[in-house]
Amino acid sequence: MKRLLIAAIGILIAIASSAQLPDITLTDVNGQKVNIASLSQQGHPVILSFFATWCKPCMRELSALHDLYPDWQAETGVEIIIVSVDEGQDLLKVKPLVDGNNWEYRALLDKDGQLKQALNVQSIPHVFVINKEGNIVYNHVGYVDGDEDALIKCLR
């Protein structure tokens, strides 16, 4: 029985680690359409980070990633894409926030929560790593200082 349980857990981990991105189109803060499934076809890793303008841990995480992003890009070719789950009037705050912090991330708006629902994002911050083959290989909920160390290990 114990072996069967261990085997089942292993299968679930294998399935979860090879999940693909859904075929959903979002708009970025500049009005450009972005098909999420196409992000997995770019041949380089992607960090997909769900956030909201009012979320303090999200702001700490995105600021920490901002400091590391140039080095990570040079080393791994990673692209960081942030996905706002803001609603209503808070959506108007996303572009000024991104521009005001000089974040070089592509910022997407998940206005109706389609992507959030498809990836089962229950709370934020929630980060996913998509490898260069397009598979979701890591996801993490929450942020404490130092969580970015796990991201770079995964990217390497």
Side-chain angles (χ1 to χ4, degrees), residues 29-30 93-105 107:
V29 293
N30 297 313
K93 298 176 183 176
V94 177
K95 183 170 175 39
L97 175 76
V98 171
D99 292 344
N101 283 294
N102 295 314
W103 291 338
E104 297 176 7
Y105 317 133

Side-chain angles (χ1 to χ4, degrees), residues 8-73:
I9 290 171
I11 290 170
L12 289 174
I13 290 170
I15 290 170
S17 68
S18 64
Q20 295 284 317
L21 292 173
D23 187 15
I24 293 173
T25 299
L26 299 181
T27 304
D28 71 14
V29 293
N30 297 313
Q32 301 289 323
K33 301 278 186 203
V34 177
N35 182 286
I36 300 303
S38 72
L39 299 177
S40 65
Q41 300 165 358
Q42 296 181 4
H44 58 75
V46 174
I47 293 175
L48 195 63
S49 180
F50 285 80
F51 78 104
T53 56
W54 46 263
C55 170
K56 298 223 184 283
C58 299
M59 296 303 106
R60 286 196 338 266
E61 177 180 60
L62 294 176
S63 293
L65 293 177
H66 172 73
D67 294 339
L68 300 167
Y69 192 30
D71 292 336
W72 287 10
Q73 269 189 314

Side-chain angles (χ1 to χ4, degrees), residues 82-97:
I82 59 177
V83 181
S84 169
V85 297
D86 286 288
E87 299 174 349
Q89 293 296 320
D90 286 336
L91 277 170
L92 301 174
K93 298 176 183 176
V94 177
K95 183 170 175 39
L97 175 76

Side-chain angles (χ1 to χ4, degrees), residues 44-47 69 72-80 129-130 155:
H44 58 75
V46 174
I47 293 175
Y69 192 30
W72 287 10
Q73 269 189 314
E75 181 182 345
T76 68
V78 70
E79 178 181 11
I80 296 178
V129 175
I130 297 92
L155 291 171

Side-chain angles (χ1 to χ4, degrees), residues 113-131:
Q114 277 186 309
L115 185 59
K116 179 181 166 183
Q117 183 177 0
L119 293 177
N120 197 30
V121 172
Q122 301 294 317
S123 61
I124 53 172
H126 193 140
V127 66
F128 294 86
V129 175
I130 297 92
N131 67 11

